[in-house]
Amino acid sequence: MRPVFRAACHCGATKDRRSQPHGQKNREKDITRMCAKNAMEEFEALLKESFEIDTPEEGSVVKGKVIAIEAGQAIIDVGYKMEGRVDLKEFANPGEQPNINVGDEVEVYLDRVENARGEAQISREKAKREEAWDRLEKAYAAETRVDGAIFGRVKGGFTVDLGGAVAFLPGSQVDVRPVRDAGPLMGMKQPFQILKMDRRRGNIVVSRRAILEESRAEQRAEVIGNLTEGQIVDGVVKNITEYGAFVDLGGVDGLLHVTDMAWRRVNHPSEILSIGETVKVQVIKINKETHRISLGMKQLQSDPWDAVEKAYPLGSVHKGRVTNITDYGAFVELEAGVEGLVHVSEMSWTKKNVHPGKIVSTSQEVDVMVLEIDSAKRRVSLGLKQTQRNPWEVFAETHPVGAIIEGEVKNITEFGLFVGLDNDIDGMVHLSDLSWDQRGEDAIQNYRKGDTVKAAVSEVDVEKERISLSIKAVGEDTFTDAVDGVKRGSIVTVEVTAIEEGGIEVEYNGAKSFIRRSDLSRDRGDQRPERFSVGDKIDVRVTNIDPKTRRLGLSIKAREIAEEKEAVEQYGSSDSGASLGDILGAALKDRN
């Protein structure tokens, strides 16, 4: 109930009205009315002042006292002869029982001075929220932590009670790593960092991850401060990746790279380690700025490369296991931690343009020869083909020049044939070695892939890995046989086989030749091919023998000139008075 105020008006009129004249009475009435008006104005001012000073404003936080607890509610006297009711649950923290007793003084939020039941409408939660917002705004400005408890799950995250104000905790801000089960975190009081807040909209975003990262950073700094490069420590494998494993050193993680796990090749860290395993590692490097730690396991073992040059002298042959195959060769493990490369060029004497995987396979045991060692770069060059004899050397030993071989035509090119030989090597028959009688371009048309041919070995070049063969050397050389005993200047008898415009074609012991028009006679009038017939036999003089072109140079004209010269020398000269006709006639008569 509101207080009632009374006001009195004292005008100072004390004269007796009966003794006053009529005008005086009217004046007194005016004074009375004026006094009444002043009293009313004074009353209203006092009443207004009373409400402004004594009655609390709606929407503000006021203090009250618990006077009773009944039916799950606390009855609170907020003064000013006003009482209100608040549910007990508003006095409880998330996950806890309400802690309120009769006589306790509490702060509540005054929604309305009087509700329908004539009671004050008050709220403890709203009072806590207003109080919390004031506190949280100060913490946000100072970038300090606030305590809260996760009490619910919403889309994209969780709800957090910050002591009266509800904040949103995004799923990505719960922990430094994704959290599969947030059950253990629910209802537990813990610190949070305010990332963003808007009081007008009632939005608060907090982070638990920021607190953990800060704590981890402090812990990492402390742990790293106690570590030194070269120190040997124990750690627990926390995570395994393709490139290595992360090892927990007691609050700080270090990276154990796959190349530092063992001296031998490790294809995947899971071959050596498993999650949760305790391992002994050495601190290789510490980056004070980024707090990154590099660890090693192989550094705790003796380096096999220290004795490589002594254990694997150049030229020695050893058995190894193929560990990896690439486009450029294959890696062979000689012992744990020592691998060498067999380059593709050192894998086979004959297979030049094939992938190494076609020659060897992973995990295969092979014999290799040590070709080169570079201890500084930790490299060993190995050879696979060197453990076998050079097939060209073997061929040269077993097939001297002139030996006859038989093989299959593997390939036909514009310059000859390739014939397959023993041990996957090839020999080449050049166009010029295909036939005695035909041109190479014509003779090569007689062959097809897969044909079996016989050829003679012409030359073997082991260094260049070349073998020259000759098919025509296997057959008879008709030209050589034909001109056997024939010398330049000899007179031979040939048979006309063809008449052409530019001369005649003739044959001598199976060897073909051509006599040009200008060589058909000494006299220009007789240099006519048509004066000969196929089958005619004529005497000619050999002017040239060319074994390369397999041609005889023949001439009737040269024979006639030679005969004339011989007759002149034998039977006289024109100076003695005898005519040329007489001389030639005598010579012909003597010849007949």
Side-chain angles (χ1 to χ4, degrees), residues 85-86 90 107-111 121-128:
R85 295 173 180 270
V86 179
E90 294 190 24
E107 289 185 340
V108 292
Y109 183 84
L110 181 61
D111 273 330
Q121 185 172 328
I122 58 178
S123 170
R124 173 59 182 163
E125 286 188 349
K126 291 184 178 180
K128 290 168 61 179

Side-chain angles (χ1 to χ4, degrees), residues 309-412:
E309 292 187 7
K310 183 177 180 180
Y312 303 98
L314 299 182
S316 59
V317 177
H318 304 271
K319 190 175 293 293
R321 181 177 62 88
V322 178
T323 58
N324 191 27
I325 297 175
T326 66
D327 292 337
Y328 52 85
F331 288 91
V332 176
E333 183 182 59
L334 299 176
E335 65 173 89
V338 178
E339 279 187 350
L341 173 65
V342 181
H343 193 268
V344 64
S345 61
E346 306 294 345
M347 301 196 79
S348 173
W349 290 107
T350 56
K351 298 175 182 178
K352 302 294 184 181
N353 298 315
V354 297
H355 191 274
K358 298 288 184 67
I359 301 175
V360 295
S361 58
T362 305
S363 300
Q364 178 183 351
E365 287 194 351
V366 294
D367 289 328
V368 290
M369 178 181 288
V370 179
L371 304 180
E372 184 181 355
I373 295 178
D374 189 337
S375 298
K377 295 182 178 180
R378 306 173 75 88
R379 293 178 180 175
V380 177
S381 296
L382 303 174
L384 186 64
K385 70 181 184 182
Q386 285 79 359
T387 60
Q388 305 167 357
R389 287 204 65 191
N390 186 333
W392 280 273
E393 290 182 353
V394 174
F395 186 87
E397 293 174 1
T398 56
H399 298 81
V401 174
I404 305 300
I405 60 93
E406 185 173 319
E408 180 182 332
V409 176
K410 296 291 186 181
N411 195 18
I412 300 176

Side-chain angles (χ1 to χ4, degrees), residues 486-492 540-545 553 558-559 562:
V486 177
K487 298 180 179 179
R488 187 175 180 180
S490 301
I491 304 297
V492 296
V540 295
R541 182 182 177 89
V542 178
T543 59
N544 187 32
I545 301 175
R559 187 211 72 196

Side-chain angles (χ1 to χ4, degrees), residues 2 17 25 30 42 87 99 158 170 231 274 301 313 352 384 408 492 496 548:
R2 297 179 180 175
R17 293 181 180 178
K25 289 181 178 180
D30 293 338
E42 183 178 354
D87 290 338
N99 184 16
F158 304 88
Q231 183 179 354
S274 59
Q301 306 167 1
K352 302 294 184 181
L384 186 64
E408 180 182 332
V492 296
V496 179
K548 291 184 179 180

